[in-house]
Amino acid sequence: MAAAQFPALELPEIAFLGRSNVGKSSLLNTLAGEKTAKVSSTPGRTRAINFFALLDPSQRRKLVFADLPGYGYAKISKSVSEGWPAFIEPYLAIRSTLKLCVCLVDSNVPPQESDRQLIDWLRAAGRDLAVVATKIDRLSGNERTRNLLALKKGLELEDVLPVSAKTGYGLKELWARIEGASVAQG
Ligand code: GDP
């Protein structure tokens, strides 16, 4: 798929990225609920970018969520670009309606090189990004603090947003970040 073939949407777009099994589908389902409408997808199932049009929780603003294929599956591909379809990088680099990249990392797993690479790449590309630590419900209070700190250090982040698709923890904060980015200029 060439970049020119991405759907020409006028709406603010939010991309969701993460290693396979990070909990991306679960989070998207929880955020988007029943209101999603699948507007387009590239061919193939797991390796496609799926675009969803939806309304924000206030029901006022229309947004598009772009669900990107998971990367770094198993031990085969350690880097992001390895095993990633060629259209992903151009999408992330030139998509003009893309307002925010939500990078998912597993709060139960130490910082990963592939996540680091993606985050560094997005920073170099000048993208606004929010790093979200998934499955936070699996951790006790002490483990949360420790793991979130490790992620911040390992990925060189000022902030990481803990969430749980299972309990709904952190979703309000994530929505606020998404809405803030959606109205941002540029
Ligand atoms: P994806 O490959 O990134 O789309 O990941 P999935 O959404 O399919 O989730 C991978 C696994 O993690 C599944 O077994 C989910 O049930 C589990 N999972 C996802 N989100 C959460 C969460 O917030 N809490 C817990 N405890 N498990 C989760």
Side-chain angles (χ1 to χ4, degrees), residues 19-27 135 137-138 163-166:
R19 296 192 311 128
S20 303
N21 213 39
V22 72
K24 183 155 58 67
S25 311
S26 304
L27 185 67
K135 310 183 194 177
D137 59 277
R138 288 190 182 166
V163 301
S164 167
K166 199 171 168 184

Side-chain angles (χ1 to χ4, degrees), residues 3-186:
Q5 290 172 267
F6 296 131
L9 300 167
E10 302 298 319
L11 301 169
E13 196 160 296
I14 313 293
F16 289 79
L17 302 111
R19 296 192 311 128
S20 303
N21 213 39
V22 72
K24 183 155 58 67
S25 311
S26 304
L27 185 67
L28 279 168
N29 286 339
T30 310
L31 285 174
E34 305 284 305
K35 293 184 210 82
T36 53
K38 192 170 166 183
V39 292
S40 180
S41 72
T42 57
R45 286 181 61 204
T46 53
R47 306 180 52 76
I49 302 179
N50 289 309
F51 296 92
F52 301 87
L54 71 158
L55 288 169
D56 73 355
S58 71
Q59 308 283 300
R60 279 197 296 261
R61 186 174 301 279
K62 261 191 173 177
L63 299 170
V64 169
F65 280 3
D67 177 12
L68 272 75
Y71 54 85
Y73 186 69
K75 295 183 184 91
I76 308 158
S77 53
K78 286 222 169 78
S79 77
V80 176
S81 50
E82 218 178 302
W84 239 20
F87 55 80
I88 304 290
E89 283 194 10
Y91 167 82
L92 292 171
I94 65 171
R95 184 71 164 166
S96 59
T97 49
L98 182 55
K99 297 286 190 173
L100 179 68
C101 294
V102 178
C103 299
L104 278 61
V105 296
D106 192 329
S107 66
N108 298 252
V109 173
Q112 298 291 303
E113 181 57 28
S114 53
D115 295 328
R116 174 70 200 250
Q117 282 177 14
L118 174 66
I119 289 164
D120 286 348
W121 190 92
L122 291 170
R123 279 193 187 119
R127 285 300 187 189
D128 189 8
L129 59 99
V131 179
V132 162
T134 62
K135 310 183 194 177
I136 199 74
D137 59 277
R138 288 190 182 166
L139 298 174
S140 71
N142 283 345
E143 289 172 321
R144 279 184 196 200
T145 310
R146 196 168 52 233
N147 289 13
L148 291 174
L149 199 64
L151 286 171
K152 272 197 199 178
K153 266 190 165 176
L155 302 173
E156 288 186 61
L157 307 170
E158 276 180 26
D159 215 7
V160 57
L161 199 61
V163 301
S164 167
K166 199 171 168 184
T167 66
Y169 186 93
L171 297 189
K172 234 176 134 179
E173 289 77 6
L174 178 54
W175 264 120
R177 183 76 176 84
I178 290 170
E179 290 181 82
S182 303
V183 298
Q185 298 299 308

